[in-house]
Amino acid sequence: MKILVCISKTPDTTAKIAFTDNNSKFAEAGVQFIVNPYDEWYALVRALELKEAGLATTVSLVTVGLPDADPIIRKALAIGGDDAIRINSDNDDSFYIASQIAAVAKDGGYELVLTGKETIDYNGSSIGGMVAELIDAPYISLAIKLDITGTTATAVREIEGGEETNEITLPVVISCQKGMAEQRIPNMKGIMGARTKPLVVKEPVAVESLTSIVSFDLPPAKAGVKLVSPEHPEELVRLLHEEAKVF
Amino acid sequence: MSVLIFADQTDGQIKKASFEAICYGTAIATQLGMDAEAVVLGTISKEELVALGKYGAKKVHHITDSNLDHFDAQAYTKVIAGIVTATGSKVIVFSNGLTGKAVAPRLSARLKAGLVTGAIALPDTSNGFVVKKSVFSGKAFANVSINTDVKIISLNQNSFPVATTDGAAEVIDATANVDGPKVKITATNKITGEVPLSEAELVVSGGRGLKGPENWALVTELAKLLGAATACSRPVADAHWRPHHEHVGQTGGAVAPNLYFAIGISGAIQHLAGVNRSKVIVVINKDPEAPFFKAADYGIVGDAFEVMPKIIEAVKKLKGVA
Ligand SMILES: Cc1cc2nc3c(=O)[nH]c(=O)nc-3n(C[C@H](O)[C@H](O)[C@H](O)COP(=O)(O)OP(=O)(O)OC[C@H]3O[C@@H](n4cnc5c(N)ncnc54)[C@H](O)[C@@H]3O)c2cc1C
Ligand SMILES: Nc1ncnc2c1ncn2[C@@H]1O[C@H](COP(=O)(O)O)[C@@H](O)[C@H]1O
């Protein structure tokens, strides 16, 4: 069984959020970029564990991005991916990206496609579902556990107020969140090895974009905190009841 | 032409977030001069369906089939796509909950209809169709243009007011060819006796400042008095002081309640990412420099072990609990 892990490049979790060009673009100057944490910590590491347990033959990575995504994909290779494909495009429409990933998934005959729960910049939580529809496979969203026995995947997914265990025959697309695996730090051997692992760059397949980002806004600044004396905590309760009216 | 809202149900009960979605869809319908219609899948009483008229749905398309009683995103998508075609719907609205996250993207790819998830306001239709959505985990908004004839919006919970009238919806029993589910549900494990975090209007949350699990009564007792859900910071879940499903933040769950009450949490940027859409944030922290105070509406700089028992006392008094 071959696994395809979808890797996206996102600003570091502590990056300052600001915009340029008339608020139409994220201000990248001075920002450090990372592998989207859900893709790295959960999807990729679980894929590696399945391979280490002899349940998968290869773990391939795919990213849709320009050459500035190469360091990100190399980092994921350093953690342990076998090979990678970068689809050379900076289109940010979810359907466009999903169509590129679906084409790679079909071509390569991958039976398990893993994505992260969401990108921490766009927060779409959409690409996995779109890929599944495009390759006509079941989709398990927001999975917290995943096991494989033969051609059956057993996944535990989050439902409102609990969890549900699902059994599906491969192929399947699964979006991964906390619980799947633990973060792995790449070691020196991994980092050295990643330099020579195959990273194939392909041009995108022609598909339309269904959406486009017009502009960004920042939320209005908070009015500031109203502090209550620690001597009179009951005053806080009064304010929440009478002023904020939250209970 | 209509706006079609997917109203999600479990065990014959429409979910609260779907009422919000119907009100939102109805407002869009008014904006576009269309009717709001809802679609409900699976076994549910007629009264529940008629009652969706209160939120603005003129018609409710209802499909029952034993294959729809268990959720399968693929089967749901096909059935909803059929209703969209039959009704000529131009805008489809979901609530951005767990079901919406599984179905809306599939439907978007199937219909080649542009999707915006995490919408927080009505679309701007003055020049095209532009939807404001939450991005960067609540730290910013993007205005996204949907460029296709049919449009799909998934509304973030707790971002649109729910208003009711005394309307009644016309129920239309539709039929569909439903595929057998490809996903077999082998176990369901619901946490009972607690308010689920994703649906909670009030959340009480604890951090490492509480020192250890033995002190969690300060969180759980307040939560119980308020009917609130409980949450925690990541290190607390990692140390197994609290179950993992309580972890909120960048890498845990995201919440947007009316009240987020944080005790002994520093307010690291990754924690804020999961809670900054809360309407009112209260912070109890002994360090006046804790970053959480910058994101808070109310706060006390003080020792949680001294302050919290007094707060609990005051809430008891307010609620008339002995
Ligand atoms: C990529 C990444 C993702 C992350 N994702 C998340 C996430 O999803 N969620 C998350 O929470 N964290 C996340 N973190 C971790 C985050 O950076 C912080 O380390 C974490 O939130 C701190 O938890 P805390 O506030 O409980 O603990 P601490 O930072 O240790 O803060 C404890 C606070 O309690 C206060 N305190 C101590 N004693 C008392 C007392 N007696 N009374 C009152 N106050 C007291 C202290 O002043 C302090 O402010 C992530 C980090 C990274 C790098
Ligand atoms: N440009 C991209 N290239 C490859 N995978 C991506 C890309 N964008 C998103 N993904 C994958 O899709 C998941 C969900 O993304 P989103 O729908 O944007 O929240 C991410 O966690 C990634 O696994």
Side-chain angles (χ1 to χ4, degrees), chain B residues 242-318:
Chain B
R242 297 297 295 171
H244 275 297
H245 67 258
E246 285 196 359
H247 157 201
V248 293
Q250 189 92 69
T251 45
V255 294
N258 292 333
L259 172 68
Y260 186 78
F261 196 112
I263 310 163
I265 304 177
S266 57
I269 192 155
Q270 296 92 357
H271 186 82
L272 296 181
V275 307
N276 57 14
R277 290 196 295 110
S278 310
K279 297 249 158 78
V280 173
I281 293 180
V282 175
V283 170
I284 310 291
N285 197 304
K286 70 173 185 192
D287 174 8
E289 300 297 320
F292 221 151
F293 284 116
K294 289 206 178 65
D297 300 282
Y298 297 93
I300 295 182
V301 178
D303 184 340
F305 296 98
E306 286 165 20
V307 168
M308 285 312 298
K310 291 185 192 156
I311 287 179
I312 290 168
E313 265 326 295
V315 173
K316 275 190 185 160
K317 220 187 236 167
L318 181 77

Side-chain angles (χ1 to χ4, degrees), chain A residues 24-26 64 89-98 119 121-122 127 209-214 216, chain B residues 115 144:
Chain A
S24 67
K25 272 209 190 80
F26 176 68
V64 180
S89 168
D90 66 350
N91 192 316
D92 52 20
D93 174 57
S94 301
F95 177 76
Y96 182 93
I97 296 172
T119 41
D121 49 1
Y122 189 66
I127 290 187
S209 303
L210 311 183
T211 63
S212 49
I213 296 177
V214 180
F216 293 95
Chain B
L115 165 69
V144 184

Side-chain angles (χ1 to χ4, degrees), chain A residues 38 122 133 160 217 243, chain B residues 15 106 132-133 250 298:
Chain A
Y38 293 105
Y122 189 66
E133 186 67 25
E160 259 121 35
D217 319 313
E243 187 178 89
Chain B
K15 288 186 190 154
R106 288 202 84 112
K132 191 182 281 291
K133 89 176 282 290
Q250 189 92 69
Y298 297 93

